[in-house]
Amino acid sequence: MSLSRRHFLARAGAMGMIGTTGLGSSLMSMPALAANTTGYKAIVCLFLFGGMDSYDAVLPYDSASYSAFADIRPSLLNQYASNGAARDPSTLLRLNPDNAADLGGREFALPPEMPGLHAAFESGNAAIMANVGPLLEPTNRTAIEADTARLPRQLFSHNDQQSTWMASAPEGAQFGWGGRFADLALASNANNNPLFTAMSAQGNTVWLSGEQAQQYQLSPDGPPQLLALQYPPFFGVPQDEARALLEQHFRNQGVTATNLFERDVTNAMRRALDSNAQYAEARDQVAPITTEFPRGFLGDQLRAIAESISLRGVLGASRQVYFAATGGFDTHSAQATDMPGLQGRLDAAITAFTAAMAEIGASNDVTLFTASDFGRTLSINGDGTDHGWGAHQFVIGGAVNGRRIYGEMPQYGLGHEQEIGNGRLIPTTSVEQFAAPLGRWFGLSESELNLALPGLSNFSGPGPGLV
C-alpha cells in the first residue's frame, strides 16, 4: 500500500463518520413486548429551539380576551403594526374549532403569517394542544407558592428544558421518548433495517436516542458521507479508490482486529457504509418528490424527511420516528421584527411537507408535532418577551382528530391559577400526556407507553384524543 493510501486510512479513521452512533449493543435488553406495527406510521418531531412565544401563535380573538391581551402588550403590538405585521383582529386568521362550546365563549386566531396551518386546522388536518409542558405532577399557583409542588429541575433554562421536553430529564439525559418509541418498534421487528427507524435531519438529538435504536442522519443530498470523503483531494487518493479502500478496511478489521474496541468501531463503520449504500439504492428506485419546498434550513430538513418517507416501501420500514428543528425563537428583543419571518418560514415548510405527504399517499400515515424549550411571558420587556413554561403546540396530519383545541386554554391575563408571574403559564397538560396518544397511534400498548414515558403514571386519564 502506498504512503498516501496509508495516510488516508489513518486520517479517515481518526475523523470518523457522520451518522454513526452506538458502537456496541446495549447492556439492557428490551422486554418481550410486541407493539402493533402493521401498516406504516411515522411520527415527526419539529423542535423550535429558543422557546416560541405561543401567545403570539395562538392569539385571542373575542373582544374581552383580546382587550386583556392588548392591555399587557400595547407597545409590542404597536411595533408589529409599524413593521407591517399588525396583530389587530382585522388581520388575524380566526379559528373555528368544532369544540367551541368547551372554550367558554372565547375565540382564538392564528397570525396572518400562518395561512397554511390555518387552512390545515379548518380542514380538520391539524389541532392545537393548549398549555403543554414539562411536569412531574399536576400543579397550580397555590401549590407552588406554598412550596408543596414537585417541579421539574432547571425551569426556564434552555438546554435543560429542551432535554426535559425530549427525555423527561435535564441536560445529560440518555434516552428520549422518540428513541424509546423506536426501541419498542425494533422489538417487534418493524423494519428490515433497524438503522432506518430513528431518523434525524438535524444531527444527533436526545429525543431520538434509544437503548437499541441508533440515529440515522439525513441530508437533502442523500445518505451521509464519510468526513474524509467530503473534502478533496482525499489525502492524495481518488475518491472512488478512497471509498473502496475504506470499505475493504472496515470489513477486514471488523473480522481480524484483536482489539475489541477497534473491532466495534470498524463494524459500526461497516454497518453505516452498508446502510448508506442501501439508502442510496432505494433513492434510485423511487421517483423524486415533485412538491416544491421553501429553500432554507427548515425547508431542506422537511424535504429530506419527506423523501425518506417516500422510500418506506423499498426500505421495508413500517415504523419510523423523525426529528427536524429550527431556531431563532429566543425573542428577548426585536420580537416584532423577527417573529413574523420565523412564523412564515415555519408555516411554509409545514405546508409543503403536508402537500408532499399527500403526493406520496402518506397523509394518514404521518403525524407531525411541534415542540419548543418553553413558552414565553405574556408581559413584555420592551421589545421582546422572556422565558416562560407552558406553551401551545400544533399537531398536523391526516390521522389527527383536527379542528379542535385540546386541553385547558388559559386566560390571556395575569394573576390566575395557571400563571406564576409575568404571564408564565403553568402547564395543564404534561409532555407525557401529550406524547401518549401519539404512542397509541404509533401502535404501543399501555404497558409499552408506561415504559417509554415513565412519568405518565403520575397523571390520570388517557390524555387528549389527538389521533
Side-chain angles (χ1 to χ4, degrees):
M1 182 182 292
S2 69
L3 178 61
S4 63
R5 292 182 181 182
R6 286 196 294 270
H7 179 62
F8 166 73
L9 287 173
R11 292 292 297 275
M15 293 175 75
M17 167 173 285
I18 296 174
T20 302
T21 50
L23 300 181
S25 60
S26 169
L27 297 177
M28 298 177 64
S29 60
M30 292 298 297
L33 300 173
N36 178 1
T37 56
T38 57
Y40 175 82
K41 291 180 179 178
I43 296 173
V44 181
C45 172
L46 174 48
F47 207 91
L48 310 177
F49 284 111
M52 186 180 76
D53 180 11
S54 63
Y55 284 119
D56 193 36
V58 183
L59 292 111
Y61 191 80
D62 63 279
S63 295
S65 298
Y66 187 85
S67 294
F69 173 74
D71 285 345
I72 298 171
R73 290 189 168 188
S75 61
L76 187 58
L77 292 178
N78 288 336
Q79 291 164 27
Y80 272 109
S82 297
N83 291 338
R87 292 293 192 261
D88 62 81
S90 65
T91 68
L92 300 180
L93 305 174
R94 180 184 179 185
L95 297 169
N96 298 283
D98 290 339
N99 64 329
D102 300 334
L103 302 173
R106 292 180 297 162
E107 298 177 335
F108 303 94
L110 301 188
E113 293 78 19
M114 290 184 154
L117 275 170
H118 180 263
F121 184 94
E122 294 296 298
S123 67
N125 292 319
I128 293 168
M129 182 70 246
N131 195 18
V132 57
L135 287 170
L136 298 181
E137 61 187 11
T139 192
N140 55 34
R141 182 175 185 143
T142 298
I144 293 172
E145 290 179 344
D147 201 24
T148 60
R150 292 195 307 125
L151 302 178
R153 292 165 52 198
Q154 303 298 327
L155 284 173
F156 319 127
S157 158
H158 284 294
N159 292 348
D160 291 296
Q161 292 312 296
Q162 290 161 11
S163 179
T164 302
W165 244 102
M166 297 182 195
S168 301
E171 188 174 22
Q174 287 185 284
F175 306 118
W177 54 271
R180 292 189 183 277
F181 282 11
D183 282 343
L184 291 160
L186 289 175
S188 298
N189 299 314
N191 301 329
N192 290 349
N193 185 335
L195 196 55
F196 299 138
T197 305
M199 314 275 277
S200 176
Q202 181 42 66
N204 284 336
T205 169
V206 70
W207 186 74
L208 280 181
S209 179
E211 296 186 51
Q212 304 295 330
Q214 298 183 28
Q215 300 177 47
Y216 188 82
Q217 304 298 317
L218 295 172
S219 81
D221 302 319
Q225 298 294 322
L226 287 169
L227 282 172
L229 297 181
Q230 288 184 324
Y231 308 105
F234 316 114
F235 309 114
V237 178
Q239 187 177 22
D240 289 346
E241 185 179 351
R243 185 181 301 280
L245 279 169
L246 281 171
E247 290 179 354
Q248 179 183 8
H249 173 74
F250 291 144
R251 285 180 170 82
N252 291 342
Q253 290 296 101
V255 174
T256 62
T258 56
N259 184 292
L260 294 181
F261 180 76
E262 181 182 2
R263 186 180 299 179
D264 276 349
V265 170
T266 53
N267 279 330
M269 295 289 190
R270 175 183 52 78
R271 287 193 298 270
L273 282 170
D274 289 344
S275 295
N276 288 351
Q278 183 182 350
Y279 194 87
E281 183 179 349
R283 289 183 86 214
D284 291 338
Q285 297 180 47
V286 176
I289 289 175
T290 61
T291 298
E292 289 289 332
F293 280 79
R295 298 296 299 272
F297 187 60
L298 180 57
D300 287 348
Q301 290 179 65
L302 290 186
R303 179 167 63 84
I305 291 174
E307 177 187 73
S308 176
I309 293 170
S310 76
L311 310 181
R312 62 199 184 283
V314 178
L315 294 176
S318 69
R319 289 294 183 277
Q320 293 179 299
V321 286
Y322 287 91
F323 183 84
T326 188
F329 290 93
D330 194 21
T331 51
H332 289 285
S333 61
Q335 179 162 323
T337 301
D338 296 341
M339 185 64 79
L342 290 166
Q343 291 174 336
R345 289 188 288 274
L346 177 65
D347 185 81
I350 291 175
T351 300
F353 181 78
T354 301
M357 293 303 96
E359 177 188 339
I360 64 175
S363 293
N364 295 329
D365 304 325
V366 180
T367 299
L368 180 149
F369 71 92
T370 64
S372 193
D373 317 16
F374 33 62
R376 304 193 75 81
T377 57
L378 179 57
S379 299
I380 59 176
N381 60 22
D383 64 345
T385 54
D386 296 322
H387 297 180
W389 187 357
H392 315 319
Q393 303 297 341
F394 296 98
V395 186
I396 304 103
V400 173
N401 297 320
R403 202 178 162 101
R404 298 179 69 87
I405 298 175
Y406 291 90
E408 298 180 30
M409 182 63 79
Q411 300 174 36
Y412 282 68
L414 306 175
H416 56 83
E417 272 294 282
Q418 291 309 135
E419 183 270 341
I420 196 170
N422 292 319
R424 289 186 175 95
L425 292 175
I426 304 166
T428 45
T429 297
S430 71
V431 172
E432 290 81 3
Q433 289 172 297
F434 178 58
L438 297 171
R440 292 188 188 96
W441 175 78
F442 197 63
L444 305 186
S445 67
E446 293 303 310
S447 58
E448 288 170 322
L449 278 176
N450 280 289
L451 180 68
L453 304 167
L456 183 60
S457 60
N458 295 333
F459 303 91
S460 60
L466 291 166
V467 284

